[in-house]
Amino acid sequence: MVIVDCGIYRNGHRTDGPSDFSDALDAARAVGDAFVWIGLHEPTEEEFTRVTDEFKLHPLAVEDALKAHQRPKLEVYDDSLFVVLKPVHYEADSDTVSSGELMLFLGDSFVVTVRHGDGTPVAELRKHLEEKPEMLRHGPTSVLYSIADEVVDHYLVVADELQNDLEELETAVFSPGGSTSGTGAGTASRIYNFKRQILEFRRATGPLAMPMLRLAGNGPFAAAVPFVDDAVRPFFRDVSDHLTRVNESVEGLDRLVSDILSAHLAQMGVRQNDDMRKISAWAAMAAVPTMIAGIYGMNFDHMPELHWVWSYPAVIGLMVALEVLLYQQFKRRGWL
């Protein structure tokens, strides 16, 4: 079995008990005020079968827990409560956001956590929670709250990191020459990649709002969710408030990066128009001497001033005068 840890908790403290989780569950239910917490990491279907049979987990929830790649959600079944969370991790070296998955089954005197990926370290969280017996006294609900609180608090950290990246993008686009220094394609690629990171972040934070409201019992979600201790609901309200802040931050980041992309594309368009004006101006200046030289290059017997000794210098001077006049006109209009 890929059981990371199995513990029996009574009155807020971890107690000695059977090492086999089946016997541990029987012992916890026999006491009445205890619960079992089992942690698993990426179990296979065969490895999870015994857990499923022992805790009477719903097959649909089991399927979701095994396949992963689920949206954050909360589902209520007859014998258990199933919650999906998506911990998010920020890679500072590559400026990317990656997410894992953490599933929780809550029921009569038990909580089962199934972790996929390298998200929230449940072992460390378990250790910290064991140092708070006043919270552990609330049973499996305390585990759900502590994990949700840790996941959402880390969302705030990731949001701050993304805000720093956004400020760097703003500098790259709006600083003098930042978007017109020949690296326009690279800047657009950075902006697009940043937008993808926000999308990955939003997939974790957005769908979690509804489950947190249900757990908190706010407003239209006042109906009690089974297997949740009413004394812990105020704590879920705090988590819901933090999540609201995160979602507002994500919305703001998404709007700003869209505005930055639009501004960058506008700057690139202005630059291209400026380049086209310069090309057109130089082409017009090149056309004048080409036209005059082309006329005088024809083999006519009766060309004006053909036999005048100063005709050649006069034509050259005319070309120069016209070029200077055109240059001044284009320079005054800002084309050169």
Side-chain angles (χ1 to χ4, degrees):
M1 292 292 293
V2 287
I3 295 180
V4 179
D5 197 358
C6 175
I8 301 178
Y9 298 86
R10 182 181 182 187
N11 196 27
H13 298 278
R14 183 164 182 161
T15 62
D16 295 331
S19 58
D20 182 80
F21 67 85
S22 179
D23 296 335
L25 179 61
D26 293 337
R29 286 176 173 172
V31 173
D33 60 347
F35 71 96
V36 178
W37 180 0
I38 300 176
L40 301 97
H41 181 248
E42 297 183 354
T44 64
E45 183 175 356
E46 292 76 15
E47 292 169 334
F48 203 49
T49 298
R50 188 181 168 202
V51 177
T52 302
D53 296 338
E54 183 64 33
F55 293 98
K56 303 297 187 293
L57 304 180
H58 196 280
L60 292 177
V62 171
E63 181 181 1
D64 290 343
L66 291 174
K67 291 185 178 180
H69 304 293
Q70 304 296 317
R71 289 165 52 90
K73 61 182 178 179
L74 183 152
E75 294 180 347
V76 179
Y77 298 100
D78 293 336
D79 298 320
S80 63
L81 183 70
F82 180 59
V83 180
V84 178
L85 304 172
K86 291 183 74 69
V88 169
H89 180 65
Y90 178 81
E91 297 287 348
D93 295 336
S94 57
D95 295 335
T96 57
V97 173
S98 59
S99 62
E101 290 191 42
L102 192 56
M103 289 84 163
L104 295 93
F105 295 88
L106 275 75
D108 179 18
S109 302
F110 73 86
V111 56
V112 177
T113 57
V114 182
R115 182 165 62 91
H116 293 267
D118 299 324
T120 300
V122 181
E124 295 181 11
L125 192 147
R126 182 193 291 256
K127 181 179 179 180
H128 294 323
L129 187 57
E130 289 174 354
E131 298 173 354
K132 302 177 180 179
E134 68 282 357
M135 177 58 68
L136 269 174
R137 289 191 182 95
H138 296 293
T141 309
S142 64
V143 178
L144 174 58
Y145 158 71
S146 299
I147 292 178
D149 184 57
E150 178 69 19
V151 169
V152 173
D153 282 350
H154 195 67
Y155 286 166
L156 293 170
V157 176
V158 174
D160 289 340
E161 295 289 350
L162 291 175
Q163 181 65 43
N164 293 334
D165 289 346
L166 180 65
E167 292 174 359
E168 293 179 3
L169 276 177
E170 288 178 327
T171 301
V173 173
F174 296 111
S175 62
S179 189
T180 59
S181 58
T183 59
T187 302
S189 177
R190 287 183 59 193
I191 296 173
Y192 178 74
N193 180 67
F194 184 76
K195 197 168 183 63
R196 287 183 61 88
Q197 306 314 311
I198 295 178
L199 177 60
E200 180 70 19
F201 193 26
R202 174 179 282 177
R203 287 172 179 167
T205 65
L208 187 59
M210 190 70 69
M212 287 299 104
L213 287 174
R214 292 181 62 188
L215 290 170
N218 283 343
F221 307 98
V225 177
F227 309 109
V228 176
D229 191 334
D230 290 338
V232 186
R233 291 189 184 277
F235 295 95
F236 283 114
R237 292 170 192 163
D238 182 66
V239 176
S240 181
D241 289 342
H242 289 177
L243 183 61
T244 300
R245 287 173 50 197
V246 172
N247 284 326
E248 289 175 351
S249 178
V250 172
E251 289 293 334
L253 288 171
D254 188 55
R255 288 194 301 268
L256 285 174
V257 76
S258 297
D259 292 342
I260 290 175
L261 180 59
S262 299
H264 173 68
L265 295 177
Q267 288 181 340
M268 293 299 296
V270 170
R271 179 187 175 188
Q272 291 174 351
N273 290 337
D274 186 56
D275 291 341
M276 289 302 300
R277 286 199 301 265
K278 291 180 179 180
I279 293 173
S280 300
W282 287 113
M285 293 173 62
V288 172
T290 301
M291 178 187 66
I292 297 176
I295 293 174
Y296 274 85
M298 297 179 181
N299 296 321
F300 291 136
D301 290 335
H302 303 287
M303 285 290 292
E305 312 298 340
L306 187 61
H307 300 289
W308 182 38
V309 68
W310 295 103
S311 61
Y312 183 73
V315 170
I316 297 298
L318 177 62
M319 291 182 184
V320 172
L322 291 175
E323 291 295 296
V324 171
L325 179 62
L326 287 174
Y327 180 83
Q328 291 177 343
Q329 290 295 324
F330 288 136
K331 192 71 172 178
R332 184 178 299 111
R333 295 176 181 272
W335 285 36
L336 292 175

